[in-house]
Amino acid sequence: MTHDPSTFNKHTIIAWLEDKPGVLSRVLSLFRRRNFNIENLSVGHSETPGVSRLTFTVNGDDQMVEQAIKQLYKLVNVLRVEDVTEKPAVRREMALIRVKVDAKTRPEVMQLVDIYRASIIDVSMDSLVVQAVGHESRLDSLIDLLSNFPITEMVRTGPVAMTRGAAGKNGNGKHARRMAL
Amino acid sequence: MKRTGAQIVWEALIREGVTTVFGHPGGAILPVYDAMPQYPVRHILARHEQGAGHMADGYARVTGDVGVALATSGPAATNLVTALATAMMDSVPIVAITGQVPTTLLGNDAFQETDVTGVTQAVTKHNYLVTDIDDLARIMKEAFHIARTGRPGPVLVDICKDVLNDETEFAYPEEVDLPGYHPYFGLDEQAVEAAAELINNAHRPVIIAGHGVQMAHAENELRELAERAHIPVAMTLLGLGDIPETHPLSLGMCGMHGEARANKAIQESDVLIGIGMRFDDRVTGDLDAFAPNAKIIHIEFDPAEINKNVPADVAVLGDAKEALQALMGKVKPAQHKNWMAQIEEWNRESQELDILNAEVDELIPPMVMRELWHVTEGDAIVVSDVGQHQMWEAQYFLHERPRQLLTSGGLGTMGYALPAAIGAHYAAPDETVWAVVGDGGFQMTIQELGVLMQERVPVKIAIINNGFLGMVRQWQELFYEKNYAGTPIQSPDYVKLAEAYGIPARRVTDRKDVTAALREAQEHDGPFLIEFQVKEEVNVYPMVAPGEAIDNLLRRRIVQGPSGLQPAW
Ligand SMILES: Cc1cc2nc3c(=O)[nH]c(=O)nc-3n(C[C@H](O)[C@H](O)[C@H](O)COP(=O)(O)OP(=O)(O)OC[C@H]3O[C@@H](n4cnc5c(N)ncnc54)[C@H](O)[C@@H]3O)c2cc1C
Ligand SMILES: Cc1ncc(C[n+]2csc(CCOP(=O)(O)OP(=O)(O)O)c2C)c(N)n1
Ligand SMILES: [Mg+2]
């Protein structure tokens, strides 16, 4: 099948993985060898012991995203995969940003931090460390502004997501899987 | 009862019904070999671990159940990789067991340490590293379960040497608990309804039957459906034998080197039914030009194959056998006289271009393949290697039944045939097994002649010696202006070589000696080797150039000669 980049969309996908040795390596190796275009990814514990939760963003057309989900399901340790792009969901990312400041720019930075409801978690004579949590577009714009001071160090976690309301539970993998196919 | 890790491996194999294993020992796997004599299994010593892997593969393709390969750590495990990749591509169930350095040395670059689970991740359906003896029985159970259920495939179990020596209380689990593994969901009945509707309204239907029909043991259902609804059946390379090639509805193989009638019928079809096949690029050619007017029905086990290459109008997710049985009740009897007449017309044109119908004095491979079919009366297991001879075998041996042809389709692994034929013999000791090999591929796993010698395995070998890596030479001729760089290949004296292994052998250089030599080999009680020194520069036709539409066929030119039609080579 030929793929036209002008039809590509970003999809946010959550995968629940059994917490077994090598699982993340299997997932990453799959993304690489199937040539899936992964923009970011983050992984951590879920509410269930032994189950970790992976959130990632894939860029592609519908067929490519369908393939990514189906191929993930073929990994024995993948319990469930959900594309939350079209669902009401909250997405949040965290960033730590070290900004170079002097006596004159420090108040300006602090003002920006205030506006963005971020916080300052470390202070020294010539720098500040800003902690920001929010939708990634909001982080983008904060980072854009802070880069004028300039930024000397930064780390972003990559977004995590959760659907709104009572939905979302990693219990019934089989049902979710059938629906996805 | 207390058992060592090594004993647990065998206890598990026995409980999984294993009677024959193919392997090659070494330090890390030694405890397993040490325990072997206590158990009722036969061990076949491959001369190279790739050979052990292909033997397990041949065994599995014939029995439809798991083949087992054993190897030690490091270089032995990496030698297995090609065989695992071959099995992965063609969905063959294998369990490979490798020894690993002791847990205390893991990650230390210890002697003969390789990250085998890392290396084999992409070429196995799943793999395990066992570092605790209390996981071993469960993992063995899971390995067999994963290998043989759903879409089958190879599973590797890498076991640390200290685990093999440890002792524990042994109990083999009855059930597996794999919450993320759901091999089968049952048949999609609604889709069956929609498929029947399309078939009942078709005027130019075609089935493409694949390897999945064989894995589902659905050949009878396929035939019944094809006959009832009067649908001609094209087959993929790995599907050959799904319906007898002598059946009036058989179109033979389709794809890059398929029959013209099969490819043309697919292109002109209004309803195309893919059954247990994955629309490989050797089948479809240019995807944008593939079956342009057809509604596509795809009957397939693995959801990821649906819409992967060819979007399905009706996707029937399910087992081919169940799906065909369900369809039978809904599909109406039909006659497609005009359609079959059109196909017969294409077939007649092809016959005129068939090299077997031209005046040829030289010894040519298609004739050897057709004679092999005559001499075996079509009743043999044929294992082909990779290259031109593989395509000629596919075209000129008329396969009667599933699991009769074993070949490496997806990976195209040269060196597959001899070891896989050995595995096939152990799976079906009463059948005649022929290995059809090229002079190039044979020299890749030639060392397995040692197994024929040591075990008196009655495999018959037909070497098609054309002095070239023929399939590559053909591409050089057609697409690289005959720049035969790196493709001429010399051979040893195969007859002497066979003698050195105590295997009787013949060399055939003349057409008139073909039948007698084949017959002698066929009737000989034991292994036999024939070298056919064939005309060198012969091409496989028809051929679809890569990336072209499958009805855009390159054909052999046939010209009027002094005494009849002759190929213009
Ligand atoms: C030199 C060379 C030339 C080749 N030329 C050609 C050619 O001209 N024509 C050709 O056809 N091939 C050719 N091939 C082979 C080709 O590369 C593929 O290997 C082949 O087409 C695959 O066939 P398949 O899809 O039937 O089998 P597989 O690749 O084995 O796929 C089988 C499919 O069946 C499904 N399945 C499994 N079990 C079931 C079940 N129970 N029910 C339903 N579905 C199931 C699987 O999920 C899978 O999708 C060539 C190979 C080589 C090396
Ligand atoms: C392991 C491996 N290496 C290389 C190739 C590429 N290749 C495909 S066909 C072929 C030539 C095979 O030559 P031979 O065995 O003599 O068979 P022929 O085509 O002459 O019948 C080669 C080199 C391959 N398929 N497998
Ligand atoms: Mg050759």
Side-chain angles (χ1 to χ4, degrees), chain B residues 50 82 385-390 392 411-415 437-442 444 464 466-473 487 489:
Chain B
Q50 182 189 350
T82 302
D385 214 79
V386 170
Q388 291 185 310
H389 63 282
Q390 178 189 30
W392 284 314
L411 200 66
T413 308
M414 284 170 72
V437 298
D439 42 341
F442 188 52
M444 283 202 175
I464 305 299
N466 53 9
F468 276 102
L469 300 172
M471 184 55 93
V472 183
R473 185 208 57 75
T487 41
I489 181 169

PDB file of all heavy atoms in Angstrom, chain B residues 50 82 385-390 392 411-415 437-442 444 464 466-473 487 489, ligand 2:
ATOM      1  N   GLN B  50      22.258 -24.589  11.628  1.00  0.00           N
ATOM      2  CA  GLN B  50      21.252 -24.163  10.631  1.00  0.00           C
ATOM      3  C   GLN B  50      20.533 -25.394  10.109  1.00  0.00           C
ATOM      4  O   GLN B  50      19.313 -25.391   9.923  1.00  0.00           O
ATOM      5  CB  GLN B  50      21.915 -23.401   9.476  1.00  0.00           C
ATOM      6  CG  GLN B  50      20.892 -22.915   8.455  1.00  0.00           C
ATOM      7  CD  GLN B  50      21.530 -22.355   7.179  1.00  0.00           C
ATOM      8  OE1 GLN B  50      22.738 -22.151   7.113  1.00  0.00           O
ATOM      9  NE2 GLN B  50      20.714 -22.118   6.170  1.00  0.00           N
ATOM     10  N   THR B  82      19.202 -18.217  10.939  1.00  0.00           N
ATOM     11  CA  THR B  82      18.632 -18.298   9.591  1.00  0.00           C
ATOM     12  C   THR B  82      17.459 -19.274   9.540  1.00  0.00           C
ATOM     13  O   THR B  82      16.446 -19.012   8.882  1.00  0.00           O
ATOM     14  CB  THR B  82      19.724 -18.725   8.591  1.00  0.00           C
ATOM     15  OG1 THR B  82      20.775 -17.771   8.651  1.00  0.00           O
ATOM     16  CG2 THR B  82      19.188 -18.802   7.181  1.00  0.00           C
ATOM     17  N   ASP B 385      14.976 -26.178  -3.040  1.00  0.00           N
ATOM     18  CA  ASP B 385      15.827 -25.130  -2.505  1.00  0.00           C
ATOM     19  C   ASP B 385      15.356 -23.789  -3.087  1.00  0.00           C
ATOM     20  O   ASP B 385      14.170 -23.659  -3.411  1.00  0.00           O
ATOM     21  CB  ASP B 385      17.294 -25.432  -2.808  1.00  0.00           C
ATOM     22  CG  ASP B 385      18.209 -24.946  -1.688  1.00  0.00           C
ATOM     23  OD1 ASP B 385      18.301 -25.638  -0.668  1.00  0.00           O
ATOM     24  OD2 ASP B 385      18.807 -23.863  -1.842  1.00  0.00           O
ATOM     25  N   VAL B 386      16.244 -22.854  -3.271  1.00  0.00           N
ATOM     26  CA  VAL B 386      15.808 -21.528  -3.710  1.00  0.00           C
ATOM     27  C   VAL B 386      16.537 -21.121  -4.979  1.00  0.00           C
ATOM     28  O   VAL B 386      17.759 -21.220  -5.062  1.00  0.00           O
ATOM     29  CB  VAL B 386      16.048 -20.485  -2.608  1.00  0.00           C
ATOM     30  CG1 VAL B 386      15.825 -19.073  -3.123  1.00  0.00           C
ATOM     31  CG2 VAL B 386      15.110 -20.771  -1.445  1.00  0.00           C
ATOM     32  N   GLY B 387      15.776 -20.701  -5.966  1.00  0.00           N
ATOM     33  CA  GLY B 387      16.363 -20.262  -7.228  1.00  0.00           C
ATOM     34  C   GLY B 387      15.510 -20.704  -8.398  1.00  0.00           C
ATOM     35  O   GLY B 387      14.312 -20.948  -8.250  1.00  0.00           O
ATOM     36  N   GLN B 388      16.140 -20.784  -9.556  1.00  0.00           N
ATOM     37  CA  GLN B 388      15.401 -21.161 -10.761  1.00  0.00           C
ATOM     38  C   GLN B 388      14.791 -22.559 -10.636  1.00  0.00           C
ATOM     39  O   GLN B 388      13.631 -22.781 -11.001  1.00  0.00           O
ATOM     40  CB  GLN B 388      16.348 -21.142 -11.960  1.00  0.00           C
ATOM     41  CG  GLN B 388      16.804 -19.750 -12.363  1.00  0.00           C
ATOM     42  CD  GLN B 388      17.627 -19.803 -13.627  1.00  0.00           C
ATOM     43  OE1 GLN B 388      18.565 -20.594 -13.743  1.00  0.00           O
ATOM     44  NE2 GLN B 388      17.273 -18.979 -14.604  1.00  0.00           N
ATOM     45  N   HIS B 389      15.592 -23.487 -10.136  1.00  0.00           N
ATOM     46  CA  HIS B 389      15.090 -24.869 -10.039  1.00  0.00           C
ATOM     47  C   HIS B 389      13.848 -24.925  -9.151  1.00  0.00           C
ATOM     48  O   HIS B 389      12.960 -25.739  -9.369  1.00  0.00           O
ATOM     49  CB  HIS B 389      16.190 -25.777  -9.472  1.00  0.00           C
ATOM     50  CG  HIS B 389      16.577 -25.398  -8.084  1.00  0.00           C
ATOM     51  ND1 HIS B 389      17.393 -24.330  -7.809  1.00  0.00           N
ATOM     52  CD2 HIS B 389      16.167 -25.884  -6.884  1.00  0.00           C
ATOM     53  CE1 HIS B 389      17.504 -24.194  -6.491  1.00  0.00           C
ATOM     54  NE2 HIS B 389      16.770 -25.119  -5.921  1.00  0.00           N
ATOM     55  N   GLN B 390      13.788 -24.034  -8.160  1.00  0.00           N
ATOM     56  CA  GLN B 390      12.622 -23.976  -7.265  1.00  0.00           C
ATOM     57  C   GLN B 390      11.368 -23.602  -8.052  1.00  0.00           C
ATOM     58  O   GLN B 390      10.291 -24.170  -7.868  1.00  0.00           O
ATOM     59  CB  GLN B 390      12.906 -22.933  -6.171  1.00  0.00           C
ATOM     60  CG  GLN B 390      11.788 -22.695  -5.166  1.00  0.00           C
ATOM     61  CD  GLN B 390      12.082 -21.484  -4.263  1.00  0.00           C
ATOM     62  OE1 GLN B 390      12.758 -20.532  -4.680  1.00  0.00           O
ATOM     63  NE2 GLN B 390      11.609 -21.519  -3.035  1.00  0.00           N
ATOM     64  N   TRP B 392      11.023 -23.938 -11.385  1.00  0.00           N
ATOM     65  CA  TRP B 392      10.690 -24.999 -12.343  1.00  0.00           C
ATOM     66  C   TRP B 392       9.995 -26.161 -11.654  1.00  0.00           C
ATOM     67  O   TRP B 392       9.072 -26.750 -12.193  1.00  0.00           O
ATOM     68  CB  TRP B 392      11.965 -25.467 -13.067  1.00  0.00           C
ATOM     69  CG  TRP B 392      12.412 -24.500 -14.116  1.00  0.00           C
ATOM     70  CD1 TRP B 392      11.615 -23.896 -15.049  1.00  0.00           C
ATOM     71  CD2 TRP B 392      13.738 -24.008 -14.342  1.00  0.00           C
ATOM     72  NE1 TRP B 392      12.378 -23.056 -15.845  1.00  0.00           N
ATOM     73  CE2 TRP B 392      13.680 -23.108 -15.440  1.00  0.00           C
ATOM     74  CE3 TRP B 392      14.980 -24.243 -13.739  1.00  0.00           C
ATOM     75  CZ2 TRP B 392      14.808 -22.461 -15.937  1.00  0.00           C
ATOM     76  CZ3 TRP B 392      16.090 -23.599 -14.228  1.00  0.00           C
ATOM     77  CH2 TRP B 392      16.010 -22.711 -15.323  1.00  0.00           C
ATOM     78  N   LEU B 411      11.362 -16.243   3.128  1.00  0.00           N
ATOM     79  CA  LEU B 411      12.733 -15.787   3.308  1.00  0.00           C
ATOM     80  C   LEU B 411      13.579 -16.171   2.102  1.00  0.00           C
ATOM     81  O   LEU B 411      14.563 -15.512   1.803  1.00  0.00           O
ATOM     82  CB  LEU B 411      13.340 -16.373   4.587  1.00  0.00           C
ATOM     83  CG  LEU B 411      14.555 -15.607   5.124  1.00  0.00           C
ATOM     84  CD1 LEU B 411      14.167 -14.216   5.592  1.00  0.00           C
ATOM     85  CD2 LEU B 411      15.231 -16.377   6.244  1.00  0.00           C
ATOM     86  N   GLY B 412      13.191 -17.240   1.385  1.00  0.00           N
ATOM     87  CA  GLY B 412      13.978 -17.678   0.232  1.00  0.00           C
ATOM     88  C   GLY B 412      15.379 -18.093   0.651  1.00  0.00           C
ATOM     89  O   GLY B 412      16.371 -17.567   0.161  1.00  0.00           O
ATOM     90  N   THR B 413      15.452 -19.053   1.566  1.00  0.00           N
ATOM     91  CA  THR B 413      16.727 -19.431   2.161  1.00  0.00           C
ATOM     92  C   THR B 413      17.435 -20.512   1.353  1.00  0.00           C
ATOM     93  O   THR B 413      17.021 -21.674   1.359  1.00  0.00           O
ATOM     94  CB  THR B 413      16.496 -19.948   3.599  1.00  0.00           C
ATOM     95  OG1 THR B 413      15.735 -18.977   4.311  1.00  0.00           O
ATOM     96  CG2 THR B 413      17.815 -20.213   4.295  1.00  0.00           C
ATOM     97  N   MET B 414      18.493 -20.130   0.649  1.00  0.00           N
ATOM     98  CA  MET B 414      19.319 -21.143  -0.016  1.00  0.00           C
ATOM     99  C   MET B 414      19.916 -22.066   1.033  1.00  0.00           C
ATOM    100  O   MET B 414      20.295 -21.617   2.115  1.00  0.00           O
ATOM    101  CB  MET B 414      20.458 -20.488  -0.797  1.00  0.00           C
ATOM    102  CG  MET B 414      20.038 -19.842  -2.089  1.00  0.00           C
ATOM    103  SD  MET B 414      21.394 -18.857  -2.773  1.00  0.00           S
ATOM    104  CE  MET B 414      22.538 -20.138  -3.329  1.00  0.00           C
ATOM    105  N   GLY B 415      19.989 -23.346   0.719  1.00  0.00           N
ATOM    106  CA  GLY B 415      20.524 -24.319   1.658  1.00  0.00           C
ATOM    107  C   GLY B 415      19.436 -24.991   2.480  1.00  0.00           C
ATOM    108  O   GLY B 415      19.710 -25.858   3.299  1.00  0.00           O
ATOM    109  N   VAL B 437      17.668 -29.419  -5.679  1.00  0.00           N
ATOM    110  CA  VAL B 437      18.561 -28.329  -5.266  1.00  0.00           C
ATOM    111  C   VAL B 437      19.342 -27.774  -6.445  1.00  0.00           C
ATOM    112  O   VAL B 437      19.563 -28.461  -7.447  1.00  0.00           O
ATOM    113  CB  VAL B 437      19.569 -28.811  -4.189  1.00  0.00           C
ATOM    114  CG1 VAL B 437      18.843 -29.275  -2.944  1.00  0.00           C
ATOM    115  CG2 VAL B 437      20.447 -29.923  -4.728  1.00  0.00           C
ATOM    116  N   GLY B 438      19.793 -26.528  -6.298  1.00  0.00           N
ATOM    117  CA  GLY B 438      20.684 -25.933  -7.283  1.00  0.00           C
ATOM    118  C   GLY B 438      22.134 -26.161  -6.881  1.00  0.00           C
ATOM    119  O   GLY B 438      22.423 -26.529  -5.729  1.00  0.00           O
ATOM    120  N   ASP B 439      23.040 -25.946  -7.818  1.00  0.00           N
ATOM    121  CA  ASP B 439      24.457 -26.134  -7.494  1.00  0.00           C
ATOM    122  C   ASP B 439      24.931 -25.103  -6.469  1.00  0.00           C
ATOM    123  O   ASP B 439      25.857 -25.357  -5.707  1.00  0.00           O
ATOM    124  CB  ASP B 439      25.335 -26.103  -8.755  1.00  0.00           C
ATOM    125  CG  ASP B 439      24.947 -25.006  -9.746  1.00  0.00           C
ATOM    126  OD1 ASP B 439      23.813 -24.494  -9.679  1.00  0.00           O
ATOM    127  OD2 ASP B 439      25.789 -24.658 -10.597  1.00  0.00           O
ATOM    128  N   GLY B 440      24.270 -23.939  -6.429  1.00  0.00           N
ATOM    129  CA  GLY B 440      24.648 -22.931  -5.440  1.00  0.00           C
ATOM    130  C   GLY B 440      24.139 -23.288  -4.052  1.00  0.00           C
ATOM    131  O   GLY B 440      24.916 -23.408  -3.101  1.00  0.00           O
ATOM    132  N   GLY B 441      22.843 -23.480  -3.929  1.00  0.00           N
ATOM    133  CA  GLY B 441      22.243 -23.746  -2.622  1.00  0.00           C
ATOM    134  C   GLY B 441      22.733 -25.044  -2.012  1.00  0.00           C
ATOM    135  O   GLY B 441      22.913 -25.137  -0.790  1.00  0.00           O
ATOM    136  N   PHE B 442      22.966 -26.043  -2.846  1.00  0.00           N
ATOM    137  CA  PHE B 442      23.424 -27.324  -2.314  1.00  0.00           C
ATOM    138  C   PHE B 442      24.750 -27.147  -1.588  1.00  0.00           C
ATOM    139  O   PHE B 442      24.994 -27.748  -0.539  1.00  0.00           O
ATOM    140  CB  PHE B 442      23.565 -28.342  -3.451  1.00  0.00           C
ATOM    141  CG  PHE B 442      23.854 -29.746  -2.970  1.00  0.00           C
ATOM    142  CD1 PHE B 442      23.063 -30.346  -1.998  1.00  0.00           C
ATOM    143  CD2 PHE B 442      24.918 -30.470  -3.506  1.00  0.00           C
ATOM    144  CE1 PHE B 442      23.329 -31.641  -1.553  1.00  0.00           C
ATOM    145  CE2 PHE B 442      25.185 -31.762  -3.070  1.00  0.00           C
ATOM    146  CZ  PHE B 442      24.386 -32.349  -2.088  1.00  0.00           C
ATOM    147  N   MET B 444      25.640 -24.750   0.081  1.00  0.00           N
ATOM    148  CA  MET B 444      25.510 -24.011   1.343  1.00  0.00           C
ATOM    149  C   MET B 444      25.282 -24.920   2.544  1.00  0.00           C
ATOM    150  O   MET B 444      25.620 -24.560   3.664  1.00  0.00           O
ATOM    151  CB  MET B 444      24.371 -23.005   1.253  1.00  0.00           C
ATOM    152  CG  MET B 444      24.748 -21.772   0.468  1.00  0.00           C
ATOM    153  SD  MET B 444      23.688 -20.393   0.885  1.00  0.00           S
ATOM    154  CE  MET B 444      24.454 -19.095  -0.069  1.00  0.00           C
ATOM    155  N   ILE B 464      20.315 -29.689  -9.764  1.00  0.00           N
ATOM    156  CA  ILE B 464      20.194 -29.062 -11.078  1.00  0.00           C
ATOM    157  C   ILE B 464      21.420 -28.165 -11.232  1.00  0.00           C
ATOM    158  O   ILE B 464      21.438 -27.029 -10.744  1.00  0.00           O
ATOM    159  CB  ILE B 464      18.892 -28.239 -11.176  1.00  0.00           C
ATOM    160  CG1 ILE B 464      17.679 -29.108 -10.836  1.00  0.00           C
ATOM    161  CG2 ILE B 464      18.760 -27.612 -12.561  1.00  0.00           C
ATOM    162  CD1 ILE B 464      17.468 -30.309 -11.743  1.00  0.00           C
ATOM    163  N   ASN B 466      23.580 -25.900 -13.188  1.00  0.00           N
ATOM    164  CA  ASN B 466      23.633 -25.043 -14.379  1.00  0.00           C
ATOM    165  C   ASN B 466      24.855 -24.129 -14.361  1.00  0.00           C
ATOM    166  O   ASN B 466      24.943 -23.184 -15.127  1.00  0.00           O
ATOM    167  CB  ASN B 466      22.344 -24.211 -14.515  1.00  0.00           C
ATOM    168  CG  ASN B 466      22.029 -23.432 -13.244  1.00  0.00           C
ATOM    169  OD1 ASN B 466      22.849 -23.379 -12.322  1.00  0.00           O
ATOM    170  ND2 ASN B 466      20.862 -22.827 -13.199  1.00  0.00           N
ATOM    171  N   GLY B 467      25.791 -24.415 -13.440  1.00  0.00           N
ATOM    172  CA  GLY B 467      27.049 -23.670 -13.430  1.00  0.00           C
ATOM    173  C   GLY B 467      26.909 -22.217 -13.003  1.00  0.00           C
ATOM    174  O   GLY B 467      27.845 -21.438 -13.122  1.00  0.00           O
ATOM    175  N   PHE B 468      25.737 -21.872 -12.541  1.00  0.00           N
ATOM    176  CA  PHE B 468      25.469 -20.482 -12.177  1.00  0.00           C
ATOM    177  C   PHE B 468      24.607 -20.408 -10.926  1.00  0.00           C
ATOM    178  O   PHE B 468      23.848 -21.331 -10.631  1.00  0.00           O
ATOM    179  CB  PHE B 468      24.674 -19.772 -13.287  1.00  0.00           C
ATOM    180  CG  PHE B 468      25.508 -19.222 -14.396  1.00  0.00           C
ATOM    181  CD1 PHE B 468      25.599 -19.904 -15.605  1.00  0.00           C
ATOM    182  CD2 PHE B 468      26.190 -18.013 -14.255  1.00  0.00           C
ATOM    183  CE1 PHE B 468      26.357 -19.391 -16.652  1.00  0.00           C
ATOM    184  CE2 PHE B 468      26.945 -17.501 -15.292  1.00  0.00           C
ATOM    185  CZ  PHE B 468      27.033 -18.190 -16.502  1.00  0.00           C
ATOM    186  N   LEU B 469      24.698 -19.289 -10.256  1.00  0.00           N
ATOM    187  CA  LEU B 469      23.646 -18.894  -9.326  1.00  0.00           C
ATOM    188  C   LEU B 469      22.531 -18.392 -10.243  1.00  0.00           C
ATOM    189  O   LEU B 469      22.407 -17.204 -10.538  1.00  0.00           O
ATOM    190  CB  LEU B 469      24.146 -17.806  -8.373  1.00  0.00           C
ATOM    191  CG  LEU B 469      25.352 -18.250  -7.518  1.00  0.00           C
ATOM    192  CD1 LEU B 469      25.925 -17.075  -6.736  1.00  0.00           C
ATOM    193  CD2 LEU B 469      24.964 -19.383  -6.575  1.00  0.00           C
ATOM    194  N   GLY B 470      21.774 -19.372 -10.741  1.00  0.00           N
ATOM    195  CA  GLY B 470      20.974 -19.154 -11.935  1.00  0.00           C
ATOM    196  C   GLY B 470      19.946 -18.039 -11.829  1.00  0.00           C
ATOM    197  O   GLY B 470      19.750 -17.255 -12.751  1.00  0.00           O
ATOM    198  N   MET B 471      19.248 -17.980 -10.692  1.00  0.00           N
ATOM    199  CA  MET B 471      18.192 -16.983 -10.583  1.00  0.00           C
ATOM    200  C   MET B 471      18.784 -15.570 -10.606  1.00  0.00           C
ATOM    201  O   MET B 471      18.209 -14.651 -11.190  1.00  0.00           O
ATOM    202  CB  MET B 471      17.394 -17.219  -9.295  1.00  0.00           C
ATOM    203  CG  MET B 471      16.215 -16.297  -9.113  1.00  0.00           C
ATOM    204  SD  MET B 471      15.097 -16.351 -10.517  1.00  0.00           S
ATOM    205  CE  MET B 471      13.914 -17.590  -9.982  1.00  0.00           C
ATOM    206  N   VAL B 472      19.947 -15.419  -9.995  1.00  0.00           N
ATOM    207  CA  VAL B 472      20.588 -14.112  -9.999  1.00  0.00           C
ATOM    208  C   VAL B 472      21.125 -13.814 -11.402  1.00  0.00           C
ATOM    209  O   VAL B 472      21.001 -12.695 -11.914  1.00  0.00           O
ATOM    210  CB  VAL B 472      21.713 -14.060  -8.942  1.00  0.00           C
ATOM    211  CG1 VAL B 472      22.336 -12.670  -8.908  1.00  0.00           C
ATOM    212  CG2 VAL B 472      21.177 -14.433  -7.576  1.00  0.00           C
ATOM    213  N   ARG B 473      21.676 -14.846 -12.048  1.00  0.00           N
ATOM    214  CA  ARG B 473      22.143 -14.681 -13.430  1.00  0.00           C
ATOM    215  C   ARG B 473      20.994 -14.233 -14.328  1.00  0.00           C
ATOM    216  O   ARG B 473      21.158 -13.364 -15.190  1.00  0.00           O
ATOM    217  CB  ARG B 473      22.743 -16.000 -13.966  1.00  0.00           C
ATOM    218  CG  ARG B 473      23.363 -15.862 -15.351  1.00  0.00           C
ATOM    219  CD  ARG B 473      23.344 -17.145 -16.164  1.00  0.00           C
ATOM    220  NE  ARG B 473      22.007 -17.707 -16.340  1.00  0.00           N
ATOM    221  CZ  ARG B 473      21.077 -17.232 -17.165  1.00  0.00           C
ATOM    222  NH1 ARG B 473      21.309 -16.163 -17.920  1.00  0.00           N
ATOM    223  NH2 ARG B 473      19.876 -17.798 -17.234  1.00  0.00           N
ATOM    224  N   THR B 487      28.307 -14.562 -10.424  1.00  0.00           N
ATOM    225  CA  THR B 487      27.306 -15.639 -10.491  1.00  0.00           C
ATOM    226  C   THR B 487      27.796 -16.963 -11.074  1.00  0.00           C
ATOM    227  O   THR B 487      27.159 -17.982 -10.817  1.00  0.00           O
ATOM    228  CB  THR B 487      26.040 -15.186 -11.244  1.00  0.00           C
ATOM    229  OG1 THR B 487      26.419 -14.416 -12.388  1.00  0.00           O
ATOM    230  CG2 THR B 487      25.162 -14.346 -10.344  1.00  0.00           C
ATOM    231  N   ILE B 489      29.496 -20.351 -10.932  1.00  0.00           N
ATOM    232  CA  ILE B 489      29.908 -21.114  -9.748  1.00  0.00           C
ATOM    233  C   ILE B 489      30.374 -22.503 -10.159  1.00  0.00           C
ATOM    234  O   ILE B 489      29.711 -23.180 -10.957  1.00  0.00           O
ATOM    235  CB  ILE B 489      28.774 -21.194  -8.695  1.00  0.00           C
ATOM    236  CG1 ILE B 489      29.234 -21.978  -7.452  1.00  0.00           C
ATOM    237  CG2 ILE B 489      27.496 -21.759  -9.257  1.00  0.00           C
ATOM    238  CD1 ILE B 489      28.285 -21.886  -6.259  1.00  0.00           C
TER     239      ILE B 489
HETATM  240  C1  LIG C   2      21.223 -17.655   1.727  1.00  0.00           C
HETATM  241  C2  LIG C   2      20.951 -16.942   0.461  1.00  0.00           C
HETATM  242  N1  LIG C   2      21.904 -16.213  -0.140  1.00  0.00           N
HETATM  243  C3  LIG C   2      21.657 -15.582  -1.313  1.00  0.00           C
HETATM  244  C4  LIG C   2      20.426 -15.650  -1.902  1.00  0.00           C
HETATM  245  C5  LIG C   2      20.141 -14.911  -3.217  1.00  0.00           C
HETATM  246  N2  LIG C   2      19.830 -15.895  -4.266  1.00  0.00           N
HETATM  247  C6  LIG C   2      18.573 -16.187  -4.637  1.00  0.00           C
HETATM  248  S1  LIG C   2      18.492 -17.350  -5.816  1.00  0.00           S
HETATM  249  C7  LIG C   2      20.163 -17.462  -5.887  1.00  0.00           C
HETATM  250  C8  LIG C   2      20.847 -18.383  -6.838  1.00  0.00           C
HETATM  251  C9  LIG C   2      20.658 -19.804  -6.496  1.00  0.00           C
HETATM  252  O1  LIG C   2      21.552 -20.538  -7.286  1.00  0.00           O
HETATM  253  P1  LIG C   2      21.424 -22.095  -7.394  1.00  0.00           P
HETATM  254  O2  LIG C   2      21.332 -22.699  -6.040  1.00  0.00           O
HETATM  255  O3  LIG C   2      22.491 -22.618  -8.263  1.00  0.00           O
HETATM  256  O4  LIG C   2      20.007 -22.298  -8.082  1.00  0.00           O
HETATM  257  P2  LIG C   2      19.558 -21.902  -9.569  1.00  0.00           P
HETATM  258  O5  LIG C   2      18.920 -20.570  -9.495  1.00  0.00           O
HETATM  259  O6  LIG C   2      20.776 -21.917 -10.425  1.00  0.00           O
HETATM  260  O7  LIG C   2      18.594 -22.957  -9.934  1.00  0.00           O
HETATM  261  C10 LIG C   2      20.764 -16.584  -4.988  1.00  0.00           C
HETATM  262  C11 LIG C   2      22.224 -16.404  -4.815  1.00  0.00           C
HETATM  263  C12 LIG C   2      19.445 -16.410  -1.219  1.00  0.00           C
HETATM  264  N3  LIG C   2      18.196 -16.534  -1.697  1.00  0.00           N
HETATM  265  N4  LIG C   2      19.742 -17.058  -0.073  1.00  0.00           N
END
